[in-house]
Amino acid sequence: MTGPESEGSQVRRAVCPGSFDPITNGHLDIIARASSLYDEVYVAVMINQAKKGLFEIEERIELIRQVTAEYGNVRVESFHGLLVDFCKQRDIPAIVKGLRAVSDFDYELQMAQMNNGLSGVETLFIPTNPTYSFLSSSLVKEVATWGGDVSHLVPPQVLAALTERLKRP
Ligand code: PNS
């Protein structure tokens, strides 16, 4: 065998975890940038039994698959339990997160340090594109619920799904 495989190089994997209820342009920006840095990027959608979201987990996964299909190296899966176990099972050494503002930092630092202490997994922070520094799934849902325009904040497939979901009682 010739090439990188014969030299013992490994596939470089990372995970972008979150609730993604639903995925926004801010999430997508981070996933796209991670996909250019790593060979394989997993998007891990957390199953939170205590909190019912607007979209079912399978709907969130389907939307993420649609909007990340163009990258070719992005896989989308759900998980419950610890993120570090998801990483261990798939041989993923790095978690990639977007940082929007200083207000994100305290909690993200705690999680990064806890995850590193639990299993040695590293967390890498990418500064969010300033266009999306105020953006969150919760705000998108709130604005859309009251008829506000979120078309510049989410991919078209997500906008269509939001419009459909919110017109039902
Ligand atoms: O989009 P969110 O809701 O801000 O994502 C939070 C998420 C999923 C990244 C975080 O809650 C998480 O990693 N949960 C998995 C459970 C876990 O591993 N907890 C210990 C973290 S130190």
Side-chain angles (χ1 to χ4, degrees):
M1 196 190 291
T2 57
E5 294 296 327
S6 63
E7 288 150 24
S9 77
Q10 299 221 323
V11 177
R12 291 168 313 145
R13 297 190 181 93
V15 62
C16 295
S19 303
F20 303 104
D21 185 37
I23 187 168
T24 68
N25 286 345
H27 293 127
L28 196 50
D29 175 59
I30 298 299
I31 294 166
R33 290 158 73 186
S35 101
S36 73
L37 294 169
Y38 288 90
D39 299 320
E40 281 180 10
V41 172
Y42 282 76
V43 178
V45 183
M46 180 180 65
I47 300 170
N48 182 352
Q49 258 118 10
K51 191 174 163 202
K52 186 164 163 47
L54 181 64
F55 292 98
E56 300 294 336
I57 295 292
E58 284 311 317
E59 293 174 307
R60 299 180 207 178
I61 288 176
E62 181 51 35
L63 286 170
I64 301 168
R65 286 203 175 121
Q66 287 176 23
V67 302
T68 59
E70 66 183 276
Y71 301 118
N73 64 344
V74 175
R75 306 172 63 148
V76 191
E77 292 182 17
S78 62
F79 78 105
H80 62 91
L82 291 177
L83 180 60
V84 292
D85 290 335
F86 180 94
C87 294
K88 225 180 283 171
Q89 286 152 11
R90 291 159 186 80
D91 205 12
I92 300 171
I95 299 166
V96 172
K97 291 274 194 88
L99 269 189
R100 289 168 296 193
V102 178
S103 50
D104 280 346
F105 188 71
D106 276 354
Y107 187 48
E108 291 296 343
L109 183 66
Q110 282 178 28
M111 285 198 287
Q113 290 171 332
M114 177 63 82
N115 284 331
N116 185 260
L118 285 171
S119 75
V121 70
E122 297 288 2
T123 298
L124 291 99
F125 295 115
I126 298 184
T128 294
N129 180 329
T131 312
Y132 305 127
S133 61
F134 61 92
L135 184 52
S136 70
S137 299
S138 313
L139 276 186
V140 163
K141 285 183 282 191
E142 187 171 328
V143 172
T145 298
W146 298 106
D149 180 14
V150 293
S151 58
H152 55 304
L153 304 177
V154 294
Q157 296 92 330
V158 174
L159 183 66
L162 267 172
T163 308
E164 179 62 25
R165 178 56 41 90
L166 293 173
K167 80 180 178 202
R168 276 186 240 147

